[in-house]
Amino acid sequence: MTAATDSVGPSLDALADAFATAHPAFATAPESLRFVRAPGRVNLIGEHTDYNDGLVLPAAVSLAIDLAFIPTDDRRVELSLLATGERGSFDLDAIGPRRGTWLDYVAGTAWALLEAGVPLRGFRGVLSSTIPAGAGLSSSAAIELASAWALSGGETPALQPMRLAQAAQRAENAYVGVLCGLMDQFAVTMGRAGHALRLDCRSLDWYPVALPAEVEIVVCHSSSPRRLEASAYNARRAECAAAVAAVAAREPAVTSLRDVDLTTLERSRERMGEIPYARAVHVISENARVIETEAALQAGDLEALRRLFAASHASLRDSFEVSSPELDALVGIASRTPGVVAARLTGAGFGGCTVNLVERGRSGALRDAVERDYPGLTGLIPRVFVVEAAAGTGLVRRPGAGA
Ligand code: GLA
């Protein structure tokens, strides 16, 4: 099977060698070298609901960031990227403003952890990734959480896991300047092998939901650029807020779309205009689909999963308007391919990836169909990843390395 090799990155031995080359002065004590792995994530369902106090059902996946590092006492962070050799550094006592590069996710995490009162150490590191960048699979959240572990000297960061995820979200919101919700940092922190994670973004209650053994997760990357993503994402947030404000004008107890059902929304429809109304219809119906999807996963009801994913994709395309011709093409191909249970866009949209539930052992048919049909429809070369639901961020050991 070629499929499984998609998620296999450079070995930890290769990363250790790269560390020795990048930081020769620190390579004299190889036993202090540590490795932290932070997964990417797919969202099974519950899209654009997290910043509306709603429900989400993501899973951490086997595409991941690996960071090899040695903690230091000099308050300096210096790290490089295995793929390109690009280097970045900053001082923990003078982090400075954002630079507009990948280093912002590391520096922003340091900034947010210091703000939360977490004691930090410097480190030297080398980072490798099997998460395609800019694909909507949360490579930025993975860098943030891997950094949090390295900045904590390789110990469990001194914050409750949910507070840690929130600190990483704050890094992204207030330092990097992206107004994301909590879902990505939550999934990258809490991931559990073989499980999706059901989070209530209002109460922050969450629990793992076992995935049926008979399905596997296939991610199809549209390879299409996501240029307008940040401004369009922020516009969607503002449109949801406009819908809430219109409802709250006559129902003051309403503070988010979580408080609104379709009947309540209808009563205020005239006050809000068609676009906020359509956005709200998506969010309200998507919260209901999360609950139904959890039940369908537990019952192994594949027909219900097909219907729910299709309804989510249609709602994101028609009411929330975050799909693209490329994502629609990928979902169309999947829906015609035998063995595919369910398909929809995943993450923010505007490009990026689809998530597919496929009968175990039948992912090859989807890969073949996408590789055959997608380039002719779009002029783009897709990438197909068969992934497993994986554990959240934590230290990993080299096979054969001692205790
Ligand atoms: C991005 C954001 C998340 C969430 C999704 C849409 O991935 O980072 O917080 O809003 O979009 O569901």
Side-chain angles (χ1 to χ4, degrees), residues 41 43 45-52 56 136-138 140-141 169 172-173 178-185 226 229 233 237 282 286 316 320 322 344-350:
R41 69 97 190 87
N43 188 19
I45 202 158
E47 220 65 86
H48 291 277
T49 47
D50 61 352
Y51 54 83
N52 286 301
V56 294
L137 299 175
S138 296
S140 58
Q169 181 198 10
E172 191 125 354
N173 290 172
V178 176
L179 288 177
C180 63
L182 182 59
M183 172 171 72
D184 303 347
Q185 291 78 12
R226 298 188 305 158
E229 186 190 357
Y233 184 89
R237 288 193 68 138
H282 164 73
E286 186 80 349
L316 287 160
F320 218 70
V322 295
R344 55 177 288 279
L345 74 81
T346 188
F350 319 106

Side-chain angles (χ1 to χ4, degrees), residues 243-383:
V244 172
V247 178
R250 53 184 295 165
E251 331 232 1
V254 166
T255 60
S256 82
L257 286 177
R258 186 67 182 279
D259 301 319
V260 182
D261 59 20
L262 290 174
T263 315
T264 314
L265 185 71
E266 212 55 48
R267 281 202 293 271
S268 297
R269 182 171 184 168
E270 298 304 318
R271 293 169 169 270
M272 69 180 68
E274 280 310 299
I275 287 183
Y277 173 78
R279 307 305 189 233
V281 167
H282 164 73
V283 172
I284 294 166
S285 61
E286 186 80 349
N287 280 329
R289 284 187 287 270
V290 173
I291 295 168
E292 286 185 71
T293 299
E294 179 191 347
L297 288 170
Q298 277 159 354
D301 185 345
L302 305 188
E303 197 42 52
L305 292 172
R306 178 192 313 280
R307 176 176 55 74
L308 289 159
F309 273 44
S312 174
H313 186 81
S315 177
L316 287 160
R317 183 191 60 213
D318 302 336
S319 297
F320 218 70
E321 297 184 276
V322 295
S323 190
S324 66
E326 293 82 10
L327 292 169
D328 294 345
L330 285 172
V331 168
I333 294 167
S335 67
R336 295 188 290 274
T337 304
V340 176
V341 172
R344 55 177 288 279
L345 74 81
T346 188
F350 319 106
C353 293
T354 61
V355 58
N356 304 266
L357 299 179
V358 181
E359 287 172 29
R360 192 163 288 282
R362 300 188 75 182
S363 58
L366 178 58
R367 174 188 294 277
D368 291 348
V370 166
E371 289 178 350
R372 186 188 60 229
D373 296 345
Y374 182 75
L377 291 169
T378 62
L380 297 167
I381 304 297
R383 295 178 68 189

Side-chain angles (χ1 to χ4, degrees), residues 8 11 27 67 147 156 165 177 242 349:
V8 175
S11 69
L67 172 57
S147 302
T156 308

